[in-house]
Amino acid sequence: MKIAVPKEIADGERRVALVPDTVGRMVKGGMEVLIESGAGVEALSSDQAYLDAGATIIDDTLLLYEQADVGLKIQAPIMNETIGHHEADMIREGANVIALLQPLVNFLPVQRLALRGVTAFSMDAIPRIARAQSMDALTSMASIAGYKAVLTAADSLGRFMPMLVTAAGTLAPARGLVLGAGVAGLQAIATGRRLGAVMSAFDVRSAVSEQVKSLGATFIGDQTIVEEAEQETGYAKELSGASQQRERDLIHEHAQTMDFVVATAAVPGSTAPLLISEEMVKAMRPGSVIVDVAAETGGNCELTKPGSTIVEHGVTIDGPINIASSMPVHASQMYSRNISTLLSHLVDDGRIVLDFDDEITKGCCITHEGNIVQEGTLAANNARSGSAKSETPQVRQL
């Protein structure tokens, strides 16, 4: 089996799907690994390091894709303007691709892969179950986002994070509020605490309160909206209008006493919930900071500008996108382990074998044999299309 790793071409993407250490293990396991020249440079993985691990370096992008049985990527396929070919069209019919496809929003790449006859797996669709933890790329990348968000806040604050006793007097610690106590939020809490800040966290799920408290933070919640928000997947679901207003009122009450807010609240496959209105920003302390980790899906703050840092009403609002790519070395190491573990799960006797009775395979396989086969992706695709068209791939019942 030939595994191909192309160089990522999306703007600002510095990660690589496989690092040399993982390549070495795969080669020892009998796989042939092809790496596009320069694919790992931004992640400090040189072509020589891949050669030393047993990989073959390919200079020609088209040749790389033509030879691949499985293509491993970070981002969903896009148009390669340099060579004039869409990445999805370079993958040969019947081959496989694994990437962070984000299929609920990236409709056109998914349709293109289906029409091409490519079997595509999405790393962000791995089910949240115990035996899939080592494949969970969303958790890996969210951990980086939470960590980096607090560092971003610290860099923008005009004050120390920890309490300091100096000859000039005692300086009070910074106060931080995290919105959303998922993986990113919990890492933000832990990082803020390590820097000496006094941390609080808001979440609509009561189940995370003990985790928040175990990290030394104060949990803020409203029991009246917990039952509506919680679902079996462990993620929060979208709230009704009345509950959203109660949620915003509670956040408003606490945000005005904080020096920085890290917003991480997200609903899978949907735009980020609006938690911080302009009026709430106006009420915050001058010089305070909001880092909106959810900027990529619209943002939790009404004033967020994705990809930009702005100052409004005396408050710095940072809307970073693709935060994990800002730490390409460790992000690539973690993703490499995630994607290689999924590949090992799918491979049997040197080829990919699909068992759609397996929860992991069924959950993350998006396209197969010319069809969109994942129910959630198909429903989102059909809803966007409005009505079935001849060129739109249809579901295959599994």
Side-chain angles (χ1 to χ4, degrees), residues 44-331:
L44 304 185
S45 295
S46 66
D47 286 355
Q48 188 59 53
Y50 285 114
L51 288 170
D52 293 343
T56 300
I57 301 297
I58 305 290
D59 292 322
D60 188 318
T61 305
L62 283 169
L63 180 61
L64 178 87
Y65 277 104
E66 286 171 3
Q67 296 186 55
D69 296 309
V70 185
L72 304 183
K73 282 181 49 60
I74 303 286
Q75 298 283 357
I78 60 174
M79 184 68 184
N80 188 323
E81 301 291 350
T82 302
I83 61 176
H85 291 276
H86 197 285
E87 289 181 306
D89 296 339
M90 290 190 275
I91 305 169
R92 63 178 175 79
E93 184 178 352
N96 307 270
V97 66
I98 307 176
L100 286 164
L101 294 176
Q102 299 185 67
L104 296 179
V105 293
N106 284 334
F107 302 109
L108 294 180
V110 167
Q111 288 183 1
R112 204 156 187 157
L113 289 167
L115 291 170
R116 183 72 175 167
V118 173
T119 297
F121 303 88
S122 190
M123 293 296 293
D124 54 295
I126 300 287
R128 180 172 274 188
I129 57 177
R131 65 190 180 92
Q133 286 182 342
S134 59
M135 311 171 195
D136 189 355
L138 282 185
T139 291
S140 297
M141 300 304 107
S143 182
I144 292 172
Y147 168 80
K148 196 63 181 285
V150 174
L151 298 187
T152 300
D155 188 52
S156 297
L157 272 179
R159 58 183 301 145
F160 286 112
M161 281 277 193
M163 181 181 75
L164 291 178
V165 179
T166 75
T170 299
L171 305 176
R175 296 172 57 85
L177 172 64
V178 173
L179 304 181
V183 175
L186 292 172
Q187 185 62 255
I189 293 167
T191 304
R193 289 285 295 150
R194 284 194 291 267
L195 291 176
V198 175
M199 300 299 296
S200 299
F202 170 85
D203 200 289
V204 295
R205 299 164 298 160
S206 62
V208 301
S209 64
E210 290 305 315
Q211 294 171 289
V212 168
K213 293 172 184 176
S214 72
L215 293 171
T218 300
F219 180 74
I220 301 167
D222 185 338
Q223 192 60 39
T224 62
I225 61 176
V226 165
E227 290 185 7
E228 181 183 343
E230 291 184 320
Q231 54 183 344
E232 293 179 0
T233 62
Y235 295 101
K237 65 182 179 182
E238 194 166 0
L239 297 172
S240 66
S243 292
Q244 287 181 20
Q245 186 57 52
R246 287 199 299 273
E247 180 183 46
R248 286 193 287 267
D249 289 343
L250 189 59
I251 293 170
H252 188 187
E253 176 188 344
H254 289 273
Q256 34 192 327
T257 68
M258 299 293 164
D259 298 299
F260 68 96
V261 175
V262 174
T264 72
V267 177
S270 182
T271 55
L274 179 61
L275 302 179
I276 306 172
S277 66
E278 182 172 4
E279 288 303 311
M280 293 163 67
V281 174
K282 288 180 181 178
M284 291 178 69
R285 294 175 174 178
S288 56
V289 176
I290 297 171
V291 181
D292 197 341
V293 176
E296 204 158 352
T297 55
N300 294 147
C301 177
E302 182 180 2
L303 300 178
T304 295
K305 293 188 184 231
S308 300
T309 300
I310 62 173
V311 178
E312 294 285 349
H313 309 296
V315 177
T316 299
I317 304 170
D318 197 298
I321 57 176
N322 197 6
I323 303 177
S325 186
S326 69
M327 293 183 59
V329 175
H330 281 152

Side-chain angles (χ1 to χ4, degrees), residues 1 70 96-98 119 121 135 339-355 358 360-362 364-365:
M1 174 179 288
V70 185
N96 307 270
V97 66
I98 307 176
T119 297
F121 303 88
M135 311 171 195
I339 200 168
S340 64
T341 305
L342 174 61
L343 186 61
S344 296
H345 174 77
L346 297 171
V347 171
D348 184 23
D349 195 25
R351 62 190 183 93
I352 286 186
V353 177
L354 300 184
D355 175 10
D358 174 69
I360 296 173
T361 301
K362 185 174 182 178
C364 70
C365 184

